[in-house]
Amino acid sequence: MLFSTNTYVERRAQLRKLVGDGIIVLMGNNECPYNYPANTYKYRQDSSFLYFTGQHRDGLALVIDCESGVETLIGNDIDIDDIIWTGPVPSMRDMADESGIAETGPMNELARLISLAKHTGRKVHFLPPYRHDIMIQLMDLTGIHPRDQRAAASLDLIHAVVKLRNVKTAEEVEELERAARIGYKMHTTAMRLAVQEGVTEAYIGGILDGIAASEGKHVSFPSIVSMHGEVLHGFPSPRPLEKGRLLLVDAGGETREGYCSDHTRTTPISGTYTQRQRDIYDIVVDCHDLALTEARPGVRYMDVHLAVCRLMTERLKALGLMKGDVDAAVAAGAHALFLPHGLGHSMGMDVHDLEGLGQINVGYDEETRPSDQFGLASLRFGRRLEVGNVVTDEPGIYFIPDLIDLWRSEGTNRDFLNFDEIEKFKDFGGIRIEDDLLITPDGCRFLGEERIPYHAKDVEAFVTQ
Ligand SMILES: [Mn+2]
């Protein structure tokens, strides 16, 4: 368990107060087989369950009775048949004591508590499930078919969990710093490998997995390692790296206790950027740095995103790739040809923190509504920033041949785009730079004591030294 018993007791007390009535059911994750029952994927506890209990074991659930305050940790004790394979495991009672939970009960107690609540007309609050085994369990417990479970999930519970998990406490920030140190080691290793002879994307991907697993738990998401940076989620191929191209690496590590990091660097495989690469790279650097000066409590992250889009448009205009009035171009979404995603997302115990609870509930609110415009619609976090929020700052410029062809043929935003010039960049690839921002009382700062080099000169010096 990561934090003191009191931290978890306090979190549950706040949750109970925010939800108000009924019973709260939080499902832990189960082991998940991939080719036969005993061969399982790397186990990962559900983040909300982990946040409120600190317990990593599979096959657990938590029930909180909002009115009586009774909390029950549900799960079956393992017996000697399991212990011979796993070694001793803490008992249910030991885990409950460690988490400050008064009651324990076996799995069938979960069915009894839920059916009792239903029969007495009380609300049963659960979060939207994302694993199929949990959906089946929930169907057995509540009678709600999996296709209806997202809609039946409790908005009160979702909002309460978001309110608590979106604001990181000082002890959580320490853990995020630990994740950032893993990320630093991953990225600086990848950058140095990128300039070596005979290295492939897959080799770097494998080394990243190994660093993440040896320094923490595992990667916080499948690493993106690609010479085709314009493919937003380009996974590592066995292609050897080619001099002259750029290598985009978007990867992060997760601590043993489940806190993430998420960084992106784009390294010249030759060790130095060409002038054309440098022209585009420096725009992304300046956009990245702009977020650092714009993001602060009370400011909408959507406005930071738009400020970045305006700077990017201005600079692409200076290069001759865009034209016309900058504000009008951004309002029309013309820059989204180059930046079809948002500036960032919430980050914490999940690398896209809380995304499973619905982007609209996590990154938006009554005041800030999501956009349906191409590009801006992919901004996962738009609302006003609060002290303790952690969001990624990840601008990018991509030349996506299919998208360029489509917009050109349709004439989309042709008043703002110089397609003849853009055409010349179709073999360019893409650039993204990403770090994780903590919102502080006076502004924000990057997580990670040591910066992974990203200014062009620093990158070149770093990979060739
Ligand atoms: Mn990210």
Side-chain angles (χ1 to χ4, degrees):
M1 205 167 76
L2 178 58
F3 302 123
S4 71
T5 302
N6 196 46
T7 293
Y8 298 98
V9 170
E10 267 302 306
R11 286 173 177 177
R12 293 193 303 271
Q14 288 184 48
L15 181 70
R16 199 183 118 205
K17 218 169 110 191
L18 288 166
V19 172
D21 60 357
I23 65 166
I24 297 168
V25 178
L26 291 177
M27 303 296 292
N29 277 340
N30 301 311
E31 289 280 8
C32 186
Y34 68 88
N35 57 340
Y36 58 89
N39 218 17
T40 55
Y41 288 105
K42 197 145 190 172
Y43 178 73
R44 174 60 154 78
Q45 183 58 284
D46 173 77
S47 295
S48 289
F49 185 86
L50 190 56
Y51 180 86
F52 289 106
T53 66
Q55 296 299 336
H56 287 275
R57 213 201 82 179
D58 64 309
L60 300 176
L62 173 70
V63 179
I64 303 174
D65 186 316
C66 290
E67 276 92 353
S68 71
V70 173
E71 299 173 334
T72 311
L73 185 66
I74 302 284
N76 298 333
D77 271 315
I78 71 165
D79 57 22
I80 191 67
D81 288 339
D82 293 316
I83 289 170
I84 57 168
W85 297 100
T86 61
V89 169
S91 68
M92 289 298 300
R93 189 62 259 164
D94 290 344
M95 287 189 287
D97 286 344
E98 195 182 39
S99 303
I101 297 168
E103 302 292 327
T104 65
M107 259 302 155
N108 55 16
E109 177 68 0
L110 181 59
R112 198 189 68 82
L113 288 172
I114 290 177
S115 119
L116 189 67
K118 277 170 60 185
H119 286 110
T120 49
R122 301 178 68 202
K123 285 184 206 157
V124 178
H125 302 275
F126 59 87
L127 295 174
Y130 53 91
R131 286 197 180 193
H132 298 126
D133 55 330
I134 298 289
M135 290 176 192
I136 294 168
Q137 255 181 300
L138 272 179
M139 178 163 64
D140 287 346
L141 291 164
T142 63
I144 304 169
H145 191 276
R147 81 171 158 254
D148 302 322
Q149 287 173 2
R150 279 199 82 82
S154 162
L155 264 182
D156 291 338
L157 180 58
I158 290 171
H159 288 312
V161 171
V162 167
K163 192 175 167 64
L164 296 172
R165 280 182 55 195
N166 248 348
V167 174
K168 275 69 179 177
T169 59
E171 57 186 0
E172 289 184 283
V173 170
E174 263 179 55
E175 191 65 11
L176 287 163
E177 293 285 7
R178 194 162 293 134
R181 283 196 287 277
I182 302 171
Y184 178 87
K185 192 158 183 189
M186 290 167 72
H187 278 276
T188 50
T189 305
M191 289 167 74
R192 288 215 161 111
L193 281 173
V195 298
Q196 289 179 17
E197 295 298 328
V199 168
T200 65
E201 294 175 356
Y203 180 77
I204 294 181
I207 296 291
L208 291 175
D209 285 351
I211 296 172
S214 53
E215 303 275 323
K217 195 158 198 166
H218 37 66
V219 288
S220 49
F221 60 98
S223 304
I224 296 167
V225 181
S226 182
M227 288 182 284
H228 283 276
E230 79 283 9
V231 179
L232 297 184
H233 284 172
F235 295 120
S237 80
R239 273 186 300 235
L241 301 187
E242 294 162 31
K243 299 285 174 207
R245 290 198 67 86
L246 298 168
L247 183 72
L248 187 151
V249 176
D250 182 348
E254 187 177 301
T255 64
R256 289 187 199 287
E257 294 290 344
Y259 283 80
C260 298
S261 62
D262 186 6
H263 300 276
T264 307
R265 290 296 182 269
T266 309
T267 306
I269 295 163
S270 311
T272 49
Y273 298 95
T274 64
Q275 187 57 50
R276 185 172 83 144
Q277 287 167 346
R278 184 70 192 267
D279 288 343
I280 302 296
Y281 189 86
D282 286 345
I283 300 177
V284 182
V285 168
D286 291 344
C287 289
H288 181 260
D289 286 346
L290 180 67
L292 193 61
T293 60
E294 294 286 311
R296 72 186 84 90
V299 168
R300 295 191 318 161
Y301 207 51
M302 184 182 276
D303 291 330
V304 181
H305 168 92
L306 291 170
V308 162
C309 295
R310 277 191 295 275
L311 175 63
M312 187 179 287
T313 301
E314 224 168 80
R315 298 282 295 275
L316 288 170
K317 211 176 129 177
L319 279 184
L321 296 171
M322 293 188 75
K323 60 187 177 182
D325 180 68
V326 169
D327 290 339
V330 171
H335 61 283
L337 178 67
F338 309 101
L339 175 64
H341 62 72
L343 181 62
H345 51 84
S346 179
M347 200 199 67
M349 297 178 82
D350 297 317
V351 72
H352 284 188
D353 209 23
L354 295 150
E355 194 167 282
L357 305 189
Q359 181 172 302
I360 191 158
N361 301 317
V362 178
Y364 292 88
D365 53 20
E366 291 299 319
E367 181 201 12
T368 310
R369 306 307 293 168
S371 164
D372 54 11
Q373 187 185 61
F374 178 75
L376 193 52
S378 298
L379 176 65
R380 297 176 198 278
F381 196 96
R383 68 196 207 182
R384 287 190 196 280
L385 296 163
E386 285 178 73
V387 176
N389 286 162
V390 172
V391 288
T392 62
D393 166 19
E394 50 179 309
I397 295 180
Y398 314 93
F399 294 89
I400 305 167
D402 288 326
L403 188 62
I404 295 169
D405 289 346
L406 179 72
W407 279 31
R408 182 165 211 173
S409 68
E410 293 173 341
T412 304
N413 287 312
R414 64 178 162 214
D415 296 342
F416 305 111
L417 297 165
N418 282 326
F419 284 109
D420 285 343
E421 286 304 308
I422 294 166
E423 201 71 35
K424 297 176 193 162
F425 281 77
K426 269 164 113 179
D427 63 345
F428 184 94
I431 291 170
R432 176 164 65 252
I433 302 173
E434 174 179 25
D435 287 297
D436 309 320
L437 286 178
L438 170 70
I439 306 303
T440 61
D442 7 291
C444 66
R445 68 172 178 86
F446 286 134
L447 289 172
E449 297 97 2
E450 257 189 301
R451 303 247 48 74
I452 307 162
Y454 68 94
H455 288 99
K457 284 277 168 237
D458 298 340
V459 171
E460 290 173 349
F462 182 79
V463 296
T464 49
Q465 82 194 12

